[in-house]
CSV table of all heavy atoms in Angstrom, one decimal:
chain,number,residue,atom,x,y,z
I,260,PHE,N,6.6,5.6,5.7
I,260,PHE,CA,6.8,6.0,4.3
I,260,PHE,C,8.3,5.9,4.0
I,260,PHE,O,8.7,5.4,2.9
I,260,PHE,CB,6.3,7.4,4.1
I,260,PHE,CG,6.6,8.0,2.8
I,260,PHE,CD1,6.1,7.5,1.6
I,260,PHE,CD2,7.5,9.1,2.7
I,260,PHE,CE1,6.4,8.0,0.4
I,260,PHE,CE2,7.9,9.6,1.4
I,260,PHE,CZ,7.3,9.1,0.3
I,261,VAL,N,9.2,6.4,4.8
I,261,VAL,CA,10.6,6.4,4.6
I,261,VAL,C,11.1,4.9,4.6
I,261,VAL,O,11.9,4.5,3.7
I,261,VAL,CB,11.4,7.1,5.7
I,261,VAL,CG1,12.9,6.9,5.6
I,261,VAL,CG2,11.0,8.6,5.6
I,262,LEU,N,10.5,4.1,5.4
I,262,LEU,CA,10.8,2.6,5.4
I,262,LEU,C,10.5,2.0,4.1
I,262,LEU,O,11.3,1.2,3.5
I,262,LEU,CB,10.1,1.9,6.5
I,262,LEU,CG,10.4,0.4,6.7
I,262,LEU,CD1,11.8,0.3,7.3
I,262,LEU,CD2,9.4,-0.2,7.6
I,263,CYS,N,9.4,2.4,3.5
I,263,CYS,CA,9.0,1.8,2.1
I,263,CYS,C,10.1,2.2,1.1
I,263,CYS,O,10.5,1.3,0.4
I,263,CYS,CB,7.7,2.4,1.7
I,263,CYS,SG,6.2,1.6,2.3
I,264,LEU,N,10.4,3.5,1.1
I,264,LEU,CA,11.4,3.9,0.0
I,264,LEU,C,12.8,3.4,0.2
I,264,LEU,O,13.4,2.8,-0.7
I,264,LEU,CB,11.4,5.4,0.1
I,264,LEU,CG,10.2,6.2,-0.3
I,264,LEU,CD1,10.5,7.7,-0.3
I,264,LEU,CD2,9.7,5.8,-1.7
I,265,MET,N,13.3,3.5,1.4
I,265,MET,CA,14.7,3.2,1.7
I,265,MET,C,15.0,1.7,1.9
I,265,MET,O,16.1,1.2,1.6
I,265,MET,CB,15.2,4.0,2.8
I,265,MET,CG,15.1,5.5,2.6
I,265,MET,SD,15.9,6.0,1.0
I,265,MET,CE,15.4,7.7,0.9
I,266,VAL,N,14.1,1.0,2.5
I,266,VAL,CA,14.3,-0.4,2.9
I,266,VAL,C,13.5,-1.3,1.9
I,266,VAL,O,13.9,-2.5,1.8
I,266,VAL,CB,14.0,-0.6,4.3
I,266,VAL,CG1,14.1,-2.1,4.7
I,266,VAL,CG2,14.9,0.2,5.2
I,267,GLY,N,12.5,-0.8,1.3
I,267,GLY,CA,11.7,-1.7,0.5
I,267,GLY,C,10.7,-2.6,1.3
I,267,GLY,O,10.4,-3.7,0.8
I,268,ASN,N,10.3,-2.2,2.5
I,268,ASN,CA,9.4,-2.9,3.3
I,268,ASN,C,8.2,-2.1,3.6
I,268,ASN,O,8.2,-1.1,4.2
I,268,ASN,CB,10.1,-3.3,4.6
I,268,ASN,CG,9.3,-4.3,5.5
I,268,ASN,OD1,8.1,-4.1,5.6
I,268,ASN,ND2,9.9,-5.3,6.0
I,269,ASN,N,7.0,-2.5,3.0
I,269,ASN,CA,5.8,-1.7,3.2
I,269,ASN,C,4.9,-2.2,4.3
I,269,ASN,O,3.7,-1.8,4.3
I,269,ASN,CB,5.0,-1.7,1.8
I,269,ASN,CG,4.4,-3.0,1.5
I,269,ASN,OD1,4.8,-4.1,1.9
I,269,ASN,ND2,3.3,-3.0,0.7
I,270,LEU,N,5.4,-3.1,5.1
I,270,LEU,CA,4.5,-3.7,6.1
I,270,LEU,C,4.0,-2.6,7.1
I,270,LEU,O,2.8,-2.6,7.4
I,270,LEU,CB,5.3,-4.8,6.9
I,270,LEU,CG,4.5,-5.6,7.9
I,270,LEU,CD1,3.4,-6.3,7.2
I,270,LEU,CD2,5.5,-6.6,8.5
I,271,ALA,N,4.8,-1.8,7.6
I,271,ALA,CA,4.4,-0.7,8.6
I,271,ALA,C,3.4,0.2,7.9
I,271,ALA,O,2.4,0.7,8.4
I,271,ALA,CB,5.6,0.0,9.2
I,272,PHE,N,3.7,0.6,6.6
I,272,PHE,CA,2.9,1.5,5.8
I,272,PHE,C,1.5,0.9,5.6
I,272,PHE,O,0.5,1.6,5.8
I,272,PHE,CB,3.6,1.8,4.5
I,272,PHE,CG,3.0,3.0,3.8
I,272,PHE,CD1,3.3,4.3,4.3
I,272,PHE,CD2,2.3,2.9,2.6
I,272,PHE,CE1,2.8,5.4,3.6
I,272,PHE,CE2,1.8,4.0,2.0
I,272,PHE,CZ,2.0,5.2,2.5
I,273,CYS,N,1.5,-0.4,5.3
I,273,CYS,CA,0.2,-1.1,5.1
I,273,CYS,C,-0.6,-1.2,6.4
I,273,CYS,O,-1.8,-1.1,6.4
I,273,CYS,CB,0.4,-2.4,4.5
I,273,CYS,SG,0.8,-2.3,2.7
I,274,LEU,N,0.1,-1.4,7.5
I,274,LEU,CA,-0.6,-1.4,8.8
I,274,LEU,C,-1.2,-0.1,9.1
I,274,LEU,O,-2.4,0.0,9.6
I,274,LEU,CB,0.4,-1.7,10.0
I,274,LEU,CG,0.8,-3.2,10.1
I,274,LEU,CD1,2.0,-3.3,11.1
I,274,LEU,CD2,-0.3,-4.0,10.7
I,275,PHE,N,-0.5,1.0,8.8
I,275,PHE,CA,-1.1,2.3,9.0
I,275,PHE,C,-2.3,2.5,8.1
I,275,PHE,O,-3.4,3.0,8.6
I,275,PHE,CB,0.0,3.4,8.6
I,275,PHE,CG,-0.6,4.8,8.7
I,275,PHE,CD1,-0.5,5.5,9.9
I,275,PHE,CD2,-1.2,5.4,7.7
I,275,PHE,CE1,-1.0,6.8,10.1
I,275,PHE,CE2,-1.7,6.7,7.8
I,275,PHE,CZ,-1.6,7.4,9.0
I,276,LEU,N,-2.2,2.1,6.8
I,276,LEU,CA,-3.3,2.3,5.9
I,276,LEU,C,-4.6,1.6,6.3
I,276,LEU,O,-5.7,2.1,6.3
I,276,LEU,CB,-2.9,1.9,4.5
I,276,LEU,CG,-1.9,2.7,3.7
I,276,LEU,CD1,-1.6,2.1,2.4
I,276,LEU,CD2,-2.4,4.2,3.6
I,277,ILE,N,-4.4,0.3,6.7
I,277,ILE,CA,-5.6,-0.5,6.9
I,277,ILE,C,-6.3,-0.1,8.2
I,277,ILE,O,-7.5,-0.2,8.3
I,277,ILE,CB,-5.2,-2.0,7.0
I,277,ILE,CG1,-6.5,-2.9,6.7
I,277,ILE,CG2,-4.5,-2.4,8.3
I,277,ILE,CD1,-6.2,-4.3,6.5
I,278,PHE,N,-5.5,0.4,9.2
I,278,PHE,CA,-6.2,0.9,10.4
I,278,PHE,C,-6.6,2.4,10.3
I,278,PHE,O,-7.5,2.8,11.1
I,278,PHE,CB,-5.3,0.6,11.6
I,278,PHE,CG,-5.2,-0.8,12.0
I,278,PHE,CD1,-4.0,-1.5,11.9
I,278,PHE,CD2,-6.3,-1.5,12.4
I,278,PHE,CE1,-3.9,-2.8,12.2
I,278,PHE,CE2,-6.2,-2.8,12.7
I,278,PHE,CZ,-5.0,-3.5,12.6
I,279,TYR,N,-6.0,3.1,9.4
I,279,TYR,CA,-6.4,4.5,9.2
I,279,TYR,C,-7.7,4.5,8.4
I,279,TYR,O,-8.7,5.2,8.7
I,279,TYR,CB,-5.3,5.3,8.5
I,279,TYR,CG,-5.7,6.7,8.2
I,279,TYR,CD1,-5.8,7.7,9.3
I,279,TYR,CD2,-6.1,7.1,6.9
I,279,TYR,CE1,-6.2,9.0,9.0
I,279,TYR,CE2,-6.4,8.4,6.7
I,279,TYR,CZ,-6.5,9.4,7.7
I,279,TYR,OH,-6.9,10.6,7.4
I,280,ASN,N,-7.7,3.8,7.3
I,280,ASN,CA,-8.9,3.8,6.4
I,280,ASN,C,-8.7,2.5,5.5
I,280,ASN,O,-8.0,2.5,4.5
I,280,ASN,CB,-9.0,5.0,5.6
I,280,ASN,CG,-10.3,5.1,4.8
I,280,ASN,OD1,-10.8,4.2,4.3
I,280,ASN,ND2,-10.8,6.3,4.8
I,281,PRO,N,-9.4,1.4,5.8
I,281,PRO,CA,-9.3,0.2,5.0
I,281,PRO,C,-9.7,0.4,3.6
I,281,PRO,O,-9.3,-0.4,2.7
I,281,PRO,CB,-10.2,-0.8,5.8
I,281,PRO,CG,-11.2,0.1,6.6
I,281,PRO,CD,-10.4,1.3,7.0
I,282,PHE,N,-10.6,1.4,3.3
I,282,PHE,CA,-11.0,1.6,1.9
I,282,PHE,C,-9.8,2.1,1.1
I,282,PHE,O,-9.7,1.8,-0.1
I,282,PHE,CB,-12.2,2.6,1.8
I,282,PHE,CG,-13.4,2.1,2.5
I,282,PHE,CD1,-13.8,2.6,3.8
I,282,PHE,CD2,-14.2,1.1,2.0
I,282,PHE,CE1,-14.9,2.1,4.4
I,282,PHE,CE2,-15.3,0.6,2.6
I,282,PHE,CZ,-15.7,1.1,3.8
I,283,ILE,N,-9.0,2.9,1.7
I,283,ILE,CA,-7.8,3.4,1.0
I,283,ILE,C,-6.8,2.2,0.8
I,283,ILE,O,-6.2,2.1,-0.3
I,283,ILE,CB,-7.1,4.5,1.8
I,283,ILE,CG1,-7.9,5.8,1.8
I,283,ILE,CG2,-5.7,4.8,1.3
I,283,ILE,CD1,-7.3,6.9,2.6
I,284,TYR,N,-6.7,1.3,1.7
I,284,TYR,CA,-5.9,0.1,1.5
I,284,TYR,C,-6.4,-0.7,0.4
I,284,TYR,O,-5.6,-1.2,-0.4
I,284,TYR,CB,-5.8,-0.7,2.8
I,284,TYR,CG,-5.0,-1.9,2.7
I,284,TYR,CD1,-3.6,-1.8,2.5
I,284,TYR,CD2,-5.6,-3.2,2.7
I,284,TYR,CE1,-2.8,-3.0,2.4
I,284,TYR,CE2,-4.8,-4.3,2.6
I,284,TYR,CZ,-3.4,-4.2,2.4
I,284,TYR,OH,-2.6,-5.3,2.3
I,285,LEU,N,-7.7,-0.9,0.3
I,285,LEU,CA,-8.3,-1.6,-0.9
I,285,LEU,C,-8.0,-0.9,-2.2
I,285,LEU,O,-7.6,-1.6,-3.2
I,285,LEU,CB,-9.8,-1.8,-0.7
I,285,LEU,CG,-10.3,-2.6,0.5
I,285,LEU,CD1,-11.8,-2.6,0.6
I,285,LEU,CD2,-9.8,-4.1,0.3
I,286,ALA,N,-8.0,0.4,-2.2
I,286,ALA,CA,-7.7,1.1,-3.4
I,286,ALA,C,-6.2,0.9,-3.8
I,286,ALA,O,-5.8,0.8,-4.9
I,286,ALA,CB,-8.0,2.6,-3.2
I,287,TYR,N,-5.4,0.9,-2.7
I,287,TYR,CA,-3.9,0.7,-2.9
I,287,TYR,C,-3.7,-0.7,-3.5
I,287,TYR,O,-2.9,-0.8,-4.4
I,287,TYR,CB,-3.3,0.8,-1.5
I,287,TYR,CG,-1.9,0.3,-1.4
I,287,TYR,CD1,-0.8,1.2,-1.7
I,287,TYR,CD2,-1.5,-0.9,-0.8
I,287,TYR,CE1,0.5,0.8,-1.6
I,287,TYR,CE2,-0.2,-1.3,-0.7
I,287,TYR,CZ,0.8,-0.4,-1.0
I,287,TYR,OH,2.1,-0.8,-0.9
I,288,LEU,N,-4.4,-1.7,-3.1
I,288,LEU,CA,-4.3,-3.1,-3.6
I,288,LEU,C,-4.7,-3.1,-5.1
I,288,LEU,O,-4.0,-3.7,-5.9
I,288,LEU,CB,-5.1,-4.1,-2.8
I,288,LEU,CG,-4.6,-4.4,-1.4
I,288,LEU,CD1,-5.6,-5.4,-0.8
I,288,LEU,CD2,-3.2,-5.0,-1.4
I,289,MET,N,-5.7,-2.4,-5.4
I,289,MET,CA,-6.2,-2.4,-6.8
I,289,MET,C,-5.2,-1.7,-7.7
I,289,MET,O,-4.9,-2.2,-8.8
I,289,MET,CB,-7.6,-1.7,-6.9
I,289,MET,CG,-8.7,-2.5,-6.3
I,289,MET,SD,-8.9,-4.2,-6.9
I,289,MET,CE,-9.3,-3.8,-8.6
I,290,CYS,N,-4.7,-0.6,-7.3
I,290,CYS,CA,-3.7,0.1,-8.1
I,290,CYS,C,-2.4,-0.7,-8.2
I,290,CYS,O,-1.8,-0.7,-9.3
I,290,CYS,CB,-3.3,1.5,-7.4
I,290,CYS,SG,-4.6,2.7,-7.5
I,291,LEU,N,-2.0,-1.4,-7.2
I,291,LEU,CA,-0.9,-2.3,-7.2
I,291,LEU,C,-1.1,-3.4,-8.3
I,291,LEU,O,-0.2,-3.8,-9.0
I,291,LEU,CB,-0.6,-2.9,-5.9
I,291,LEU,CG,0.5,-4.0,-5.8
I,291,LEU,CD1,1.8,-3.4,-6.3
I,291,LEU,CD2,0.7,-4.4,-4.3
I,292,GLY,N,-2.3,-4.0,-8.3
I,292,GLY,CA,-2.6,-5.1,-9.2
I,292,GLY,C,-2.5,-4.5,-10.7
I,292,GLY,O,-1.9,-5.2,-11.5
I,293,ILE,N,-3.0,-3.3,-10.9
I,293,ILE,CA,-3.0,-2.7,-12.2
I,293,ILE,C,-1.5,-2.5,-12.7
I,293,ILE,O,-1.1,-2.8,-13.8
I,293,ILE,CB,-3.8,-1.4,-12.3
I,293,ILE,CG1,-5.3,-1.7,-12.1
I,293,ILE,CG2,-3.6,-0.7,-13.6
I,293,ILE,CD1,-6.1,-0.5,-11.8
I,294,ASP,N,-0.7,-1.9,-11.8
I,294,ASP,CA,0.7,-1.7,-12.1
I,294,ASP,C,1.4,-2.9,-12.4
I,294,ASP,O,2.2,-3.0,-13.4
I,294,ASP,CB,1.4,-1.0,-10.9
I,294,ASP,CG,0.9,0.5,-10.7
I,294,ASP,OD1,0.5,1.1,-11.7
I,294,ASP,OD2,0.9,1.0,-9.6
I,295,SER,N,1.2,-4.0,-11.6
I,295,SER,CA,1.9,-5.2,-11.9
I,295,SER,C,1.5,-5.8,-13.2
I,295,SER,O,2.3,-6.4,-13.9
I,295,SER,CB,1.6,-6.2,-10.7
I,295,SER,OG,2.0,-5.7,-9.5
I,296,PHE,N,0.2,-5.7,-13.5
I,296,PHE,CA,-0.3,-6.3,-14.8
I,296,PHE,C,0.4,-5.5,-16.0
I,296,PHE,O,0.8,-6.1,-17.0
I,296,PHE,CB,-1.8,-6.2,-14.9
I,296,PHE,CG,-2.3,-6.5,-16.2
I,296,PHE,CD1,-2.4,-7.8,-16.6
I,296,PHE,CD2,-2.8,-5.5,-17.1
I,296,PHE,CE1,-2.9,-8.2,-17.9
I,296,PHE,CE2,-3.3,-5.9,-18.3
I,296,PHE,CZ,-3.4,-7.2,-18.7
I,297,VAL,N,0.4,-4.2,-15.9
I,297,VAL,CA,1.0,-3.4,-17.0
I,297,VAL,C,2.5,-3.7,-17.2
I,297,VAL,O,2.9,-3.8,-18.3
I,297,VAL,CB,0.8,-1.9,-16.7
I,297,VAL,CG1,1.6,-1.0,-17.7
I,297,VAL,CG2,-0.7,-1.5,-16.7
I,298,CYS,N,3.2,-3.8,-16.1
I,298,CYS,CA,4.6,-4.2,-16.2
I,298,CYS,C,4.8,-5.5,-16.8
I,298,CYS,O,5.8,-5.7,-17.6
I,298,CYS,CB,5.3,-4.1,-14.8
I,298,CYS,SG,5.6,-2.4,-14.2
I,299,SER,N,4.0,-6.5,-16.4
I,299,SER,CA,4.0,-7.8,-17.0
I,299,SER,C,3.7,-7.7,-18.5
I,299,SER,O,4.3,-8.4,-19.3
I,299,SER,CB,3.1,-8.7,-16.3
I,299,SER,OG,3.0,-10.0,-16.9
């Protein structure tokens, strides 16, 4: 989590999410898509 905020690298965070609960990772992807669309 700290790596995401301070370095801007979410790779380790996503590794945690997908192996902890892949359904949460899918929800994360959907929310990310919505955010990107709204900003665009």
Side-chain angles (χ1 to χ4, degrees):
F260 173 68
V261 171
L262 184 72
C263 276
L264 294 182
M265 301 304 174
V266 176
N268 187 316
N269 72 334
L270 188 56
F272 196 71
C273 287
L274 281 169
F275 179 88
L276 290 179
I277 199 168
F278 288 114
Y279 177 75
N280 191 320
F282 298 106
I283 291 180
Y284 179 67
L285 291 177
Y287 171 81
L288 289 180
M289 292 303 298
C290 290
L291 174 57
I293 293 170
D294 289 333
S295 299
F296 172 74
V297 172
C298 283
S299 173

